[in-house]
Amino acid sequence: MLRSKKTLLMLALLAVVCFVAEPAWADRLADAIAEANPQGEPGYLGIPGGPQLNIIIGLLWAIWVGWIFSTVGAFGGIMAGVGHITIYGLGDYASSFGKGAKLNKVVTDSIRVSNQWLVGCSAALSSFNYWKAGRLVLPLGIALAIGSVSGSWLVPWLTAGKISLKAYIGYFGLFVLFLGCYLFYETTPKGQESKKAAKKAAEAFQKSVKEQQKGGTVDMTEMGVKVQKFTPTACEFTFFGVEFSFNPLIPVVGGFFISALASFLGVGGGFLLVPFLTSVAGLPMYLVAGTSAMAVFVGMVNSIASYMILRSTPVEWSLIGAELVGIVIGSIIGPKTSKYIPDIWLKRLFIVLAVYVGLKYTLKGFFGILLPI
């Protein structure tokens, strides 16, 4: 009963936010349409001549988005961006109005916040599922979330309506490519030298999964994350018998910069949180997805509110609704399947996606060179 009341309260608050913000969205969009004076049948956002949306494609793509984010703790926003920019053709559509046109910037901001709706939903579901499975470092997630609040409000306030689609795509790709290259280095023998604890914990986790598959009785949750000590300057916890520690002040600062950059790019920030959690915190990938998801969720709630309330950014609700259904499906499947994938292959999956997506959008945004999807 209590859970039902909380759900109804959240829906009511969302409805109030949408009701209050909708007139401003309409004014900003109407001004942009009046300036561009497009012609044709209403399409995306009701814009005359805008792209016509296939809701089924959005549903299917969102299942993939939910699965990949809930599996590696990243790439949800990036894959959502691939869907909105490329599959739906919103990137080329925005570019067709020219760099300085209001409609270019409105559609660009709409892409950014639409990506974040998908990631925010997946992050909420993934956080809960990994917490139940004992694979979420709650103090670390909280520290990252605290830092993310200010960053996710600041950037939309400073940049909404000021970034052209071409620049957005180029920066989007450049940051993703950099992270992919860095994580590739971490898979080399030299990069693995400082990851002994993470490797030991991953091996213990994989051993327990194999025992469970053979019919053995293994309490995976009981062997999961156990916080031993938590103060403002020190946190210690164990995962499958391996001890880890970190200073909570570091992820607070890291959370601010990560959420600020993620909010600018219109993504969840998981592709930045993953290397932060594996490199700075030294976690195995089995803990990264859930911990990353919690921090991403807080950042997404703040960033979405900032884009839509403070900067009057419109979204296509029919598309968002269909995509959220797909996100729920993918986010439920992800945590159930990720435990069967070796830790190193989870990281390699991240790297392959990062390098390709990074190259694709860097070349497109800065040089106009198109790679296939």
Side-chain angles (χ1 to χ4, degrees):
M1 182 68 177
L2 182 60
R3 183 178 296 178
S4 298
K5 288 183 177 179
K6 287 182 177 179
T7 302
L8 289 173
L9 179 59
M10 291 177 64
L11 292 174
L13 289 173
L14 178 60
V16 170
V17 169
C18 295
F19 179 78
V20 171
E22 191 167 5
W25 302 342
D27 289 345
R28 182 184 178 194
L29 182 58
D31 290 345
I33 292 174
E35 178 193 68
N37 193 29
Q39 304 296 318
E41 290 294 321
Y44 183 69
L45 298 177
I47 302 170
Q52 300 297 319
L53 305 178
N54 186 318
I55 302 303
I56 300 302
I57 292 177
L59 171 67
L60 296 175
W61 185 259
I63 293 175
W64 157 249
V65 173
W67 182 84
I68 191 64
F69 178 78
S70 62
T71 298
V72 300
F75 275 96
I78 290 170
M79 284 299 153
V82 171
H84 293 136
I85 293 170
T86 302
I87 293 179
Y88 277 118
L90 298 180
D92 290 338
Y93 177 67
S95 297
S96 69
F97 292 103
K99 184 176 180 180
K102 290 181 180 179
L103 205 51
N104 178 307
K105 294 173 182 178
V106 168
V107 174
T108 299
D109 286 346
S110 182
I111 292 171
R112 294 160 84 184
V113 76
S114 295
N115 296 345
Q116 293 179 338
W117 269 99
L118 272 61
V119 181
C121 177
S122 184
L125 291 168
S126 299
S127 299
F128 179 70
N129 289 331
Y130 279 114
W131 174 73
K132 285 198 307 180
R135 291 167 59 190
L136 189 157
V137 186
L138 191 60
L140 181 53
I142 292 173
L144 287 166
I146 290 172
S148 74
V149 172
S150 54
S152 57
W153 273 92
L154 180 64
V155 169
W157 181 71
L158 291 175
T159 68
K162 301 175 183 177
I163 304 297
S164 70
L165 196 282
K166 183 176 181 180
Y168 163 60
I169 287 178
Y171 289 123
F172 181 102
L174 199 58
F175 281 112
V176 176
L177 181 59
F178 170 77
L179 265 300
C181 293
Y182 179 76
L183 278 184
F184 174 76
Y185 162 76
E186 284 204 329
T187 64
T188 64
K190 186 174 182 180
Q192 287 287 305
E193 287 178 1
S194 61
K195 304 293 185 298
K196 293 180 180 178
K199 184 177 181 180
K200 184 178 179 181
E203 290 173 348
F205 179 84
Q206 291 167 10
K207 182 179 178 181
S208 297
V209 170
K210 290 178 180 178
E211 289 180 9
Q212 197 176 52
Q213 287 179 303
K214 293 178 180 178
T217 302
V218 181
D219 192 340
M220 301 290 284
T221 303
E222 183 61 30
M223 298 176 69
V225 174
K226 300 295 179 185
V227 178
Q228 307 296 321
K229 175 185 177 182
F230 182 59
T231 69
T233 57
C235 179
E236 298 175 0
F237 66 93
T238 61
F239 178 67
F240 278 75
V242 180
E243 294 183 357
F244 295 87
S245 63
F246 66 93
N247 184 335
L249 296 178
I250 294 176
V252 169
V253 176
F256 170 80
F257 287 104
I258 289 171
S259 67
L261 183 55
S263 188
F264 170 77
L265 295 174
V267 296
F271 74 101
L272 293 169
L273 285 166
V274 167
F276 180 87
L277 291 171
T278 57
S279 300
V280 179
L283 301 186
M285 286 293 289
Y286 294 117
L287 291 181
V288 166
T291 307
S292 170
M294 180 180 174
V296 167
F297 172 66
V298 174
M300 289 301 90
V301 170
N302 281 279
S303 188
I304 289 169
S306 183
Y307 273 114
M308 300 186 72
I309 298 175
L310 298 183
R311 306 304 300 179
S312 306
T313 299
V315 295
E316 182 65 58
W317 287 115
S318 61
L319 176 62
I320 294 294
E323 289 178 328
L324 290 181
V325 173
I327 286 292
V328 170
I329 296 171
S331 299
I332 291 174
I333 297 172
K336 296 181 182 298
T337 58
S338 65
K339 65 182 180 181
Y340 300 112
I341 304 174
D343 183 81
I344 188 66
W345 283 106
L346 287 173
K347 185 170 285 188
R348 286 170 179 168
L349 174 60
F350 181 100
I351 292 168
V352 169
L353 291 171
V355 171
Y356 183 78
V357 173
L359 273 174
K360 176 180 176 65
Y361 287 102
T362 299
L363 293 174
K364 181 178 181 179
F366 291 128
F367 305 103
I369 299 174
L370 302 179
L371 294 179
I373 182 142

